Amino acid sequence: MISYDYFILDNGLKVYVHQDYSTPIAAVNIIYNVGSRDEEEHKTGFAHLFEHLMFGGSKNIPSYDTPLQKVGGENNAFTSPDITNYYITLPAVNIETAFWLESDRMLSLSFDQKVLDVQQKVVIEEFKQRYLNQPYGDVWLKLRPLAYQVHPYKWATIGKEIAHIEDAVMDDVRSFFYKHYLPNNAILVVAGPISVEEVKQLAKKWFEPIPAGKLSPRNLPQEPIQTASRFLEVTAKVPLDAIYKVYHTQGRHDVGYNAVDLASDILGRSKSSRLYEKLVKEQPIFNSINAYVTSSLDPGLMILQGNLNKGISIEEGDAAIQEVLNDFLKNPVSEEELTKVKNQAESTLVFSEVELLNRAMNLAFASNAGDVEYANLESSKIQAVTVDDISQQANRILTKENCSTMYYRAN
């Protein structure tokens, strides 16, 4: 269980405090309720671009990293389709430095054209290196628009195409910042050896003067139910043929999600999973194969992906996967098999919460999703899943009509 106290500032900033006096280190995590799903289709990649721009100097602080390094701190950030998250770890005695830095860039970026020019080049280079010039790097650039027809999950967080980043101008940057980077669109979590009263004083000093903004309603198009299988074939210079099969599932906090998550674990989480046992160990069809879910806030995907051994056709691999799925749907999961994946999931959860920063993040993610208690309910939700739940969700999701398949052929 992650303990916490909570208060909200006059400008709408939600603040959570998780006290832990076993460490001299503090973690400061701030999450903005904006991700790539909030972008316009002709201007994608902005949420991720902003993650970079937020380190390029703010209204009163030309260099973000320098003062933080002087007090022994570290920082980083990441963007997802649902959120943008920034975090700092530093000695607790220097925690006010984190409040100063984060509040100043929430107040206003420097909006320096040179910074924009530099970060555009950085993001474009990242796009090329990670997505275009790396084997299988463009998989999600192709899979997302195959699986999603209308929901903005159909483009990757990096953006739909490089041109959208290249064409970004300062007016776009200002507009995006003042629309989303608002105290009433953010959540601050402070964790470590610090009192609630001290956090309250620092939050009021550094964040409360920042004015709240007008939040735009989030009217995202709902993805229609997929009623027919979809298929895409790609050829590229990659080491091995690969196959990707994706199925629409619930959102992260929807009823049935945990059963789907555990079903994916049974199918492909580890070397003792069904797909690995049958198609890597017993039959040397695949070099590697796994299954997982995207855990997105809006309805997401279960993904099955594998690289085939040389001499095995993609068609053979696809048929072999389907055979394993048919057996999974036909024969109920045993209590022993379910207990095993529950224990694996529980272990992952417990070990993740050893780290102070992870506890802070979990509180931030849960609060942003609508209920901070989500952070403390995960274990009970995992344990509540039954064999019948697995069977019901598997039969609902793992249908041919709900499947999008991509063959990735090596040339």
Side-chain angles (χ1 to χ4, degrees):
M1 297 290 285
I2 307 174
S3 61
Y4 61 88
D5 290 277
Y6 164 78
F7 59 90
I8 186 167
L9 300 181
D10 290 345
N11 58 10
L13 179 67
K14 297 176 182 177
V15 184
Y16 292 88
V17 184
H18 169 62
Q19 294 176 285
D20 183 347
Y21 288 89
S22 68
T23 172
I25 299 298
V28 177
N29 191 93
I30 189 158
I31 187 172
Y32 289 91
N33 188 21
V34 56
S36 57
R37 66 174 178 168
D38 297 296
E39 299 163 348
E40 299 175 42
E41 189 165 1
H42 65 287
K43 290 183 180 180
T44 64
F46 266 70
H48 177 248
L49 175 62
F50 250 87
E51 176 201 321
H52 286 256
L53 291 173
M54 287 286 276
F55 292 95
S58 53
K59 187 173 184 178
N60 302 300
I61 304 169
S63 172
Y64 181 90
D65 288 334
T66 301
L68 185 60
Q69 290 169 352
K70 285 182 178 179
V71 298
E74 297 180 347
N75 72 90
N76 214 327
F78 59 86
T79 311
S80 82
D82 297 316
I83 55 96
T84 310
N85 194 67
Y86 302 86
Y87 55 91
I88 293 173
T89 55
L90 75 175
V93 293
N94 297 326
I95 197 169
E96 189 164 5
T97 300
F99 279 79
W100 168 56
L101 289 169
E102 289 294 354
S103 64
D104 200 65
R105 64 180 181 178
M106 179 187 284
L107 174 66
S108 181
L109 292 182
S110 63
F111 297 116
D112 186 332
Q113 184 63 48
K114 291 181 180 178
V115 172
L116 176 58
D117 293 342
V118 169
Q119 294 307 325
Q120 280 175 302
K121 292 176 182 177
V122 170
V123 173
I124 289 168
E125 188 60 27
E126 180 184 347
F127 199 124
K128 291 177 179 177
Q129 286 189 359
R130 292 182 57 191
Y131 295 86
L132 301 184
N133 299 333
Q134 183 171 290
Y136 312 106
D138 62 348
V139 163
W140 282 103
L141 297 179
K142 300 180 185 303
L143 260 182
R144 284 188 174 277
L146 180 66
Y148 289 101
Q149 304 293 290
V150 300
H151 192 283
Y153 284 166
K154 67 181 177 178
W155 55 80
T157 304
I158 191 73
K160 189 176 179 180
E161 54 188 80
I162 288 178
H164 291 180
I165 303 302
E166 292 174 329
D167 295 342
V169 297
M170 190 58 72
D171 284 346
D172 295 329
V173 170
R174 290 180 187 276
S175 175
F176 193 90
F177 181 85
Y178 289 116
K179 181 178 181 180
H180 299 291
Y181 278 72
L182 307 167
N184 47 322
N185 199 43
I187 295 162
L188 172 67
V189 179
V190 182
I194 186 168
S195 70
V196 176
E197 186 56 36
E198 187 177 358
V199 173
K200 190 173 291 187
Q201 290 176 5
L202 289 171
K204 284 181 174 292
K205 175 182 177 180
W206 291 106
F207 283 97
E208 201 159 57
I210 303 171
K214 184 179 179 181
L215 295 179
S216 303
R218 178 182 273 139
N219 296 316
L220 302 180
Q222 289 195 354
E223 185 67 21
I225 294 173
Q226 185 172 330
T227 57
S229 61
R230 298 171 189 157
F231 177 77
L232 176 66
E233 185 166 329
V234 176
T235 301
K237 291 183 178 180
V238 293
L240 297 168
D241 288 344
I243 185 169
Y244 300 83
K245 300 180 78 67
V246 299
Y247 301 82
H248 289 279
T249 68
Q250 300 95 319
R252 179 69 180 80
H253 298 288
D254 293 339
V255 174
Y257 167 82
N258 292 92
V260 174
D261 191 23
L262 291 175
S264 74
D265 289 348
I266 292 169
L267 285 169
R269 172 171 174 154
S270 66
K271 291 185 178 180
S272 62
S273 65
R274 291 197 180 190
L275 287 166
Y276 196 94
E277 284 278 358
K278 294 181 182 298
L279 305 184
V280 177
K281 292 182 179 178
E282 295 178 15
Q283 306 174 60
I285 295 175
F286 284 86
N287 177 276
S288 63
I289 192 165
N290 59 57
Y292 58 95
V293 294
T294 54
S295 301
S296 51
L297 290 181
D298 289 335
L301 301 171
M302 180 194 286
I303 299 99
L304 279 60
Q305 64 181 60
N307 291 351
L308 292 124
N309 283 318
K310 289 187 181 295
I312 305 294
S313 72
I314 292 185
E315 290 78 9
E316 289 177 86
D318 196 358
I321 289 175
Q322 192 58 54
E323 188 175 334
V324 174
L325 294 180
N326 290 341
D327 179 68
F328 184 65
L329 296 173
K330 183 179 178 181
N331 300 308
V333 173
S334 68
E335 289 289 352
E336 181 181 3
E337 197 171 19
L338 178 56
T339 299
K340 183 189 74 173
V341 294
K342 281 183 178 181
N343 290 341
Q344 289 174 336
E346 189 86 23
S347 297
T348 300
L349 183 64
V350 170
F351 281 116
S352 74
E353 292 183 355
V354 170
E355 294 290 336
L356 180 70
L357 178 60
N358 286 347
R359 278 175 265 152
M361 285 187 185
N362 286 349
L363 289 174
F365 300 158
S367 178
N368 183 74
D371 185 354
V372 69
E373 272 303 302
Y374 285 147
N376 290 323
L377 294 175
E378 189 68 15
S379 178
S380 61
K381 287 182 177 180
I382 290 169
Q383 295 304 328
V385 174
T386 66
V387 167
D388 287 343
D389 293 334
I390 297 284
S391 179
Q392 180 183 353
Q393 293 299 328
N395 279 280
R396 185 182 69 84
I397 289 169
L398 297 172
T399 67
K400 291 182 180 180
E401 295 78 17
N402 189 40
C403 182
S404 296
T405 301
M406 184 169 78
Y407 288 177
Y408 205 116
R409 296 189 187 275
N411 66 1

